[in-house]
Amino acid sequence: MSRSYQTQLPDAVRMRAQTLGDVGAQWVASLDDCVRQLAAQWALTIGGVLSGGSEGFVAHVRLGDGRAAILKIGLPGSADLSAEAKVYQLAAGRGYAELFAHDPERNAILLERLGAPLRITAQAIDTQIRVLCETLHEAWMPLDSAQGLMTGAQKAQWLAAFIAERWRLLGRPCDKRTIDRALEYCEERADAYTPEHSVLVHGDAHADNALLLDGTGRDEAPHRSLQCKFVDPDGLFAEKACDLAVLMRDWSDALLAHNDPLGQGIARCELLSALTGVDAHAIWQWGFMERVSTGLVLLEIGMKKEGEASLAVAEHFCSGGA
C-alpha cells in the first residue's frame, strides 16, 4: 500500500490550509503525488514527517549519495519558497542552512539537515535569547540593494494593513488603543527605513527556526558552545530591529506569569539592545507590531489561547515602552 503523507500533516498545517479555502484543500489532496514526484526527480528516500511548523510539509530525506537532507513543500498562499530559496542563495550557508535544490513549480526546496531546534535543547529563555542574538550576528548580511526582497518599509506598511483588517474581521478581539498604538508604530518604522541601515533579515528568527549544528549542544553545554543556523526565513531587506521583534513577541506565558509584564518586557528589550547594539526604541516598536499581528494570526487559525495571551501582553505593553 502506498504511503499517505497528507494524513501525517501537523494539525497547525491543516488548520492553516483550511483558512485558504479551495486552494488549501487542493494542496492537501495533491500532496502525496507531489512528494512522490519530487522523490523521483531528486532521487530521494523519504523518511519521517516533521511535526513542527504551520506552513507546509516537511520531512527527513536521504539523497542518492547518502547525505541527510530536509524536503519542504510550501503551502500556497502562505509560504512562498521561492523567496525562502532566495535568502538561502544570498546567505550561501552563512547563518542559514545550505540550499541543495529548488523546484519553483512545486514550491519545494531541499535543504541541509541540521540538528534539534534551539527551543528543545536550551530550556532557559535567557539562553535562547543569547544564542539567537549570536546567530543573528552571523546571519545579518549587508546587501547592495533589496535583491527583490520585501523592504522594511513595505513590511511595516503590510503589517499596518493586516492588523487593521484582521482586528475588524475577528470582531475587535482587543482594545482599540492597542491597535492604534501598533498602527502608530508601523507608520514610524516605515518612515525610518533607509537602505543604508538595512541588512538581510530573517523575519521569523525564533527558537524553533534556529537549529543546532551537528556536534553542538550536548551534555547541557553553556550557551556560548551552542552553534545554530536558521531555517524558514521570510527574507527581508530591513533594519536589524525587525529581526529582534520576534524575540520580543515570544514567551507570552512567561511575561503574563510575572506581576509586572511591562517591566519584564522593557528589561528584555534592553537586553536585546545590549547584546546586539541595536536601538531599543526600534526593537520595542517592531516587537509590539509583531506581537499584535501574531496574536491576530493565532486567533484566525484557531489557536485561541495563544492568540489571547499575545494580545494580553500587548495591552500591558501599551502603557509604556523602551
Side-chain angles (χ1 to χ4, degrees):
M1 180 180 295
S2 298
R3 180 178 176 186
S4 175
Y5 299 103
Q6 60 177 269
T7 61
Q8 301 176 55
L9 280 174
D11 290 341
V13 179
R14 289 188 175 280
M15 287 190 289
R16 191 176 287 270
Q18 288 171 3
T19 68
L20 299 173
D22 291 343
V23 172
Q26 176 60 31
W27 180 83
V28 173
S30 63
L31 181 62
D32 288 355
D33 285 341
C34 184
V35 173
R36 294 185 187 105
Q37 290 164 7
L38 288 166
Q41 175 181 325
W42 288 334
L44 306 177
T45 301
I46 309 297
V49 177
L50 303 185
S51 60
S54 63
E55 296 187 321
F57 172 86
V58 184
H60 286 298
V61 300
R62 195 160 292 277
L63 308 184
D65 61 8
R67 284 180 296 167
I70 293 291
L71 172 65
K72 181 175 179 180
I73 305 172
L75 184 58
S78 181
D80 178 6
L81 297 191
S82 291
E84 188 168 318
K86 178 71 171 180
V87 175
Y88 290 127
Q89 290 164 353
L90 289 170
R94 174 181 163 183
Y96 290 88
E98 183 181 350
L99 178 68
F100 293 151
H102 172 219
D103 185 327
E105 182 179 349
R106 295 184 176 88
N107 197 27
I109 54 177
L110 192 63
L111 293 174
E112 167 189 14
R113 188 189 298 184
L114 298 166
L118 175 63
R119 195 184 305 276
I120 293 175
T121 307
Q123 298 297 317
I125 293 174
D126 182 70
T127 300
Q128 293 180 35
I129 286 174
R130 291 176 184 276
V131 175
L132 286 168
C133 286
E134 290 170 1
T135 310
L136 284 169
H137 270 299
E138 178 71 14
W140 283 331
M141 180 185 303
L143 301 174
D144 293 336
S145 66
Q147 303 282 326
L149 301 174
M150 178 182 280
T151 68
Q154 291 168 334
K155 173 69 172 182
Q157 292 161 355
W158 183 90
L159 282 171
F162 178 88
I163 288 168
E165 180 185 42
R166 289 306 190 277
W167 181 68
R168 177 179 57 82
L169 291 177
L170 290 168
R172 298 172 171 79
C174 64
D175 191 88
K176 185 176 184 296
R177 185 180 66 138
T178 301
I179 299 302
D180 289 343
R181 182 65 56 83
L183 298 181
E184 172 192 332
Y185 287 168
C186 287
E187 182 177 1
E188 185 168 339
R189 294 331 306 163
D191 290 343
Y193 168 77
T194 62
E196 294 78 13
H197 294 97
S198 298
V199 296
L200 177 62
V201 160
H202 183 287
D204 197 21
H206 56 70
D208 289 316
N209 282 343
L211 306 185
L212 269 67
L213 302 184
D214 187 40
T216 70
R218 295 178 180 147
D219 300 322
E220 301 296 324
H223 83 269
R224 61 179 174 274
S225 67
L226 298 178
Q227 295 178 306
C228 294
K229 284 186 176 184
F230 285 121
V231 295
D232 296 347
D234 292 339
L236 301 163
F237 184 55
E239 58 185 328
K240 295 175 180 178
C242 182
D243 258 342
L244 297 172
V246 176
L247 282 69
M248 288 296 298
R249 168 195 83 187
D250 283 357
W251 306 292
S252 296
D253 289 344
L255 291 168
L256 290 173
H258 199 275
N259 59 11
D260 182 14
L262 172 60
Q264 289 296 296
I266 292 173
R268 184 188 297 179
C269 185
E270 291 173 346
L271 173 62
L272 292 172
S273 180
L275 290 171
T276 62
V278 176
D279 176 58
H281 181 68
I283 296 171
W284 183 266
Q285 291 192 333
W286 276 108
F288 191 88
M289 293 152 58
E290 275 288 340
R291 175 170 289 286
V292 172
S293 64
T294 299
L296 295 172
V297 168
L298 291 169
L299 292 179
E300 184 177 39
I301 66 174
M303 300 178 71
K304 186 172 184 289
K305 179 182 177 182
E306 295 85 350
E308 289 177 345
S310 185
L311 293 175
V313 173
E315 292 186 349
H316 282 289
F317 283 8
C318 252
S319 58

